[in-house]
């Protein structure tokens, strides 16, 4: 079976920020957690409106900082900055399909089409830092170009330590089921990603030769999932988890920004529970911490949830 340093939390833009990572960390002290993607331009330019540019990772445990971009020098500079900020490893985004990143910026999934540029970036980033560097990619651009093995071989030659493989193509976006190809005989360890939400599939994934598994959307509203999947006994008090998460978000963003940002988390935490639609409507109208705390206490109190 996988151990607690082999089940990763995926980078999720707008979600896996420092407050969310803090909550996951309480349940999973050793789990590798990846930050949301960080633009090399924004980071190197020290853009003030992007708080994550200034995150200090030194007390966050095993955290990988994910960068995206298409500029070789800036990607290397960004990696250096994140190493100085205490990241334990650097992950290069080579799978993001959104047009802003993959088409207009020539970054993310675009690097699956331009292996020469991908190689230059990987080569430069690996040499810019002392910490390990990984990549996160997809099966390929589309059904006709499932050439992930080529990219991973180039990565291995550049000194990349491991790769995460999301079992979809860029063209699929998030549609259809993820497929985890056999990764025996690949030069570097591969982490399986895509649609993993329970321990049921871990044996299959391990049997296919993967070194680990990475979980993204399964963590929404369930930051304890990495620990649960490993079979750990959880003394779960959901009300406390939600309130703790809210507290961390306010501490990090300030109340004005945190409250609207927290609405989606409140919705995920309550998903599938009776009256969750009413709760969401109530939460969407709230604009201050005190009222949100009352709504959270009311909802889980009424549910009788611990
Ligand atoms: C809202 C959202 C944001 C994402 N942000 C990132 C990101 O910043 N970097 C990245 O490499 N992948 C990102 N992804 C992709 C996930 O990391 C992951 O590869 C994908 O969701 C499949 O895994 P899952 O089925 O466990 O969610 C994002 C996905 C979603 C749904």
């Amino acid at each position: 079976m996988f151990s607690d340093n082999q089940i990763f939390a995926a980078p999720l833009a707008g979600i896996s920020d420092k407050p969310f990572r803090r909550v996951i960390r309480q349940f999973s002290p050793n789990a590798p957690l990846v930050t949301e993607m960080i633009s090399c331009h924004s980071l190197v330019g020290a853009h003030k409106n992007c708080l994550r540019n200034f995150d200090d990772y030194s007390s966050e445990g095993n955290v990988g900082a994910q960068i995206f971009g298409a500029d070789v020098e800036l990607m290397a500079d960004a990696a250096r900055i994140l190493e100085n900020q205490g990241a334990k490893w650097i992950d290069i985004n080579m799978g993001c399909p959104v047009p802003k990143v993959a088409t207009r910026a020539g970054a993310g999934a675009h690097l699956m089409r331009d292996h020469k540029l991908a190689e230059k970036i990987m080569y430069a980033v690996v040499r810019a830092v002392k910490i390990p560097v990984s990549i996160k990619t997809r099966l390929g651009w589309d059904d006709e170009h499932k050439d992930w093995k080529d990219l991973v071989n180039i990565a291995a030659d550049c000194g990349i330590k491991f790769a995460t493989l999301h079992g979809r193509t860029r063209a699929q976006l998030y549609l259809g089921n993820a497929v985890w190809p056999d990764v025996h005989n690949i030069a570097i360890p591969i982490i399986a990603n895509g649609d993993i939400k329970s321990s049921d599939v871990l044996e299959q994934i391990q049997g296919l030769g993967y070194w680990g598994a990475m979980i993204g959307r399964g963590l929404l509203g369930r930051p304890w999932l990495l620990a649960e999947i490993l079979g750990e006994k959880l003394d779960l008090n959901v009300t406390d988890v939600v309130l703790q998460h809210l507290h961390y978000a306010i501490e990090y963003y300030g109340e004005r920004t945190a409250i609207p940002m927290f609405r989606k988390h409140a919705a995920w935490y309550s998903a599938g529970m009776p009256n969750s639609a009413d709760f969401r409507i109530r939460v969407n109208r709230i604009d201050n911490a005190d009222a949100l705390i009352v709504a959270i206490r009311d909802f889980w109190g009424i549910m009788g949830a611990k």
Side-chain angles (χ1 to χ4, degrees):
M1 243 307 260
F2 290 124
S3 59
D4 61 358
N5 64 347
Q6 290 173 295
I7 310 278
F8 291 60
L12 294 168
I15 297 158
S16 50
D17 53 8
K18 198 177 183 90
F20 193 53
R21 296 196 301 271
R22 278 180 85 179
V23 180
I24 296 175
R25 184 57 83 217
Q26 288 176 348
F27 296 102
S28 303
N30 299 320
L33 314 181
V34 189
T35 68
E36 21 176 11
M37 57 181 169
I38 303 169
S39 151
C40 65
H41 293 272
S42 176
L43 184 75
V44 175
H47 292 182
K48 295 267 185 302
N49 57 354
C50 194
L51 274 185
R52 65 178 161 275
N53 287 341
F54 309 98
D55 279 354
D56 172 11
Y57 302 103
S58 51
S59 58
E60 274 202 54
N62 194 10
V63 168
Q66 190 190 62
I67 48 176
F68 78 95
D71 183 304
V72 178
E73 301 281 308
L74 282 184
M75 289 290 273
D77 289 346
R80 268 185 221 105
I81 293 171
L82 293 165
E83 179 178 44
N84 284 334
Q85 288 174 191
K88 303 301 179 297
W89 89 95
I90 302 293
D91 186 65
I92 305 175
N93 183 319
M94 297 201 180
C96 181
V98 306
K100 203 171 104 182
V101 173
T103 315
R104 290 205 286 284
H110 174 80
L111 297 174
M112 298 191 297
R113 302 191 98 176
D114 189 343
H115 287 185
K116 280 266 162 284
L117 177 59
E119 182 176 17
K120 283 186 196 149
I121 290 174
M122 291 190 280
Y123 190 88
V125 171
V126 166
R127 272 140 199 87
V129 292
K130 293 189 192 70
I131 51 179
V133 181
S134 60
I135 62 168
K136 180 164 176 286
T137 189
R138 289 179 173 236
L139 298 178
W141 186 259
D142 56 22
D143 270 354
E144 285 73 51
H145 303 91
K146 288 191 184 166
D147 52 4
W148 62 272
K149 275 189 198 168
D150 296 341
L151 188 60
V152 169
N153 281 334
I154 297 169
D157 288 343
C158 288
I160 295 287
K161 287 288 187 289
F162 63 91
T164 302
L165 187 61
H166 176 187
R168 288 187 177 85
T169 62
R170 190 269 173 188
Q172 277 181 289
L173 302 172
Y174 294 91
L175 300 172
N177 294 328
V179 178
W180 312 300
D182 190 292
V183 295
H184 285 104
N185 306 318
I186 303 292
I188 50 175
I190 308 289
I191 314 300
N193 173 240
D195 300 348
I196 303 167
K197 289 197 164 81
S198 74
S199 57
D200 303 354
V201 293
L202 291 188
E203 214 170 303
Q204 183 195 348
I205 284 170
Q206 211 163 23
L208 289 164
Y210 288 91
W211 187 82
M214 179 183 278
I215 300 179
R217 289 164 296 175
L219 285 164
L220 304 179
R222 289 186 298 166
W224 52 82
L225 187 65
L226 302 180
E228 189 180 291
I229 276 182
L230 285 159
E232 283 169 31
K233 284 235 168 310
L234 293 170
D235 185 17
L236 203 56
N237 182 325
V238 178
T239 320
D240 284 353
V241 176
V242 182
L243 291 175
Q244 186 69 265
H245 189 173
L246 174 63
H247 172 73
Y248 291 155
I250 292 170
E251 203 172 86
Y252 185 74
Y253 293 107
E255 189 172 342
R256 267 175 73 109
T257 307
I259 301 302
M261 281 189 75
F262 201 76
R263 287 177 190 146
K264 57 181 186 271
H265 289 290
W268 288 322
Y269 280 115
S270 64
M273 298 173 79
N275 303 321
S276 61
D278 292 341
F279 174 65
R280 277 203 305 278
I281 292 166
R282 180 173 173 190
V283 164
N284 286 344
R285 293 191 184 122
I286 289 175
D287 65 357
N288 69 85
D290 290 344
L292 187 51
I293 290 166
V294 171
I296 290 166
R297 285 198 196 287
D298 278 358
F299 180 72
W300 273 277
I302 289 164
M303 296 309 308
K306 261 194 29 131

